[in-house]
Amino acid sequence: MPKVYPIVKYGDPVLETPAEPVTVFDGALKQLVEDMFESMYAAHGVGLAAPQIGIGKRIAVIDVTFKEDPKAKLVLVNPEIIRTDGKQRSNEGCLSLPDFREQVSRARHAAIRAQDETGKWYEKDSGDNELLARAFQHEIDHLHGRLYISHLSALKRDLMRRKIKKLMKAGEWM
Ligand SMILES: [Zn+2]
């Protein structure tokens, strides 16, 4: 049975610490990847990075179709962005920042190189799928210890931080 992990929220240092590369491709990694998909779906997300479940490893999972297309399930182990092109600006959310959405500028196209859960390297281009391009950039940011709020203006970022502090004080965060 896959395990559903609770999602770590903004404020936990694991989210702002660069994750460590994966070097062992074993059964435990396969299980973790399965658990990450389960945890992502349970939280109604289309992407999840391992630091978001408290694991500081360079692993992310993405399914921008949210279960519609099994072939859309992507496992990104040790991923890197190898190409970006163009610009897009639209609303972005993050499971670690629940109930917030902000306009974030990203590249319109992105291609990555990553390993799957067996250690095999592959390349994937977002093509015309802007949501996938955004997901690549968002999840790989997580593995560098970066959240989307770092892409906002200082003014917007401070406003968001203040709102979150209020929620923390009220016990409505964590
Ligand atoms: Zn996120």
Side-chain angles (χ1 to χ4, degrees), residues 54-116:
I55 295 172
K57 292 251 177 84
R58 294 183 54 76
I59 310 165
V61 295
I62 292 174
D63 177 3
V64 292
T65 73
F66 198 81
K67 301 186 196 177
E68 290 248 313
D69 179 6
K71 289 199 293 288
K73 285 175 80 172
L74 292 174
V75 176
L76 286 67
V77 179
N78 300 326
E80 301 290 347
I81 291 184
I82 52 174
R83 277 190 307 277
T84 58
D85 183 34
K87 256 195 185 158
Q88 58 167 316
R89 186 169 170 79
S90 83
N91 261 329
E92 195 165 313
C94 178
L95 295 176
S96 296
L97 290 154
D99 303 325
F100 286 94
R101 288 190 82 76
E102 292 291 339
Q103 291 271 312
V104 181
S105 292
R106 298 280 190 185
R108 184 181 290 264
H109 308 284
I112 60 150
R113 182 174 182 263
Q115 284 167 287
D116 67 12

Side-chain angles (χ1 to χ4, degrees), residues 3-138:
K3 177 179 170 187
V4 172
Y5 285 85
I7 306 294
V8 171
K9 288 186 189 160
Y10 174 74
D12 190 313
V14 73
L15 292 174
E16 292 175 272
T17 307
E20 297 287 333
V22 173
T23 53
V24 180
F25 296 83
D26 58 3
L29 178 67
K30 282 202 183 87
Q31 184 63 52
L32 177 60
V33 164
E34 227 179 277
D35 294 346
M36 283 177 67
F37 276 112
E38 228 26 55
S39 306
M40 177 184 82
Y41 292 135
H44 307 285
V46 294
L48 182 75
Q52 293 183 278
I53 54 166
I55 295 172
K57 292 251 177 84
R58 294 183 54 76
I59 310 165
V61 295
I62 292 174
D63 177 3
V64 292
T65 73
F66 198 81
K67 301 186 196 177
E68 290 248 313
D69 179 6
K71 289 199 293 288
K73 285 175 80 172
L74 292 174
V75 176
L76 286 67
V77 179
N78 300 326
E80 301 290 347
I81 291 184
I82 52 174
R83 277 190 307 277
T84 58
D85 183 34
K87 256 195 185 158
Q88 58 167 316
R89 186 169 170 79
S90 83
N91 261 329
E92 195 165 313
C94 178
L95 295 176
S96 296
L97 290 154
D99 303 325
F100 286 94
R101 288 190 82 76
E102 292 291 339
Q103 291 271 312
V104 181
S105 292
R106 298 280 190 185
R108 184 181 290 264
H109 308 284
I112 60 150
R113 182 174 182 263
Q115 284 167 287
D116 67 12
E117 68 274 31
T118 68
K120 198 176 136 227
W121 285 97
Y122 69 94
E123 285 185 16
K124 175 91 185 165
D125 197 300
S126 64
D128 288 331
N129 192 333
E130 290 180 17
L131 181 58
L132 183 58
R134 182 172 289 276
F136 282 159
Q137 294 165 80
H138 181 111

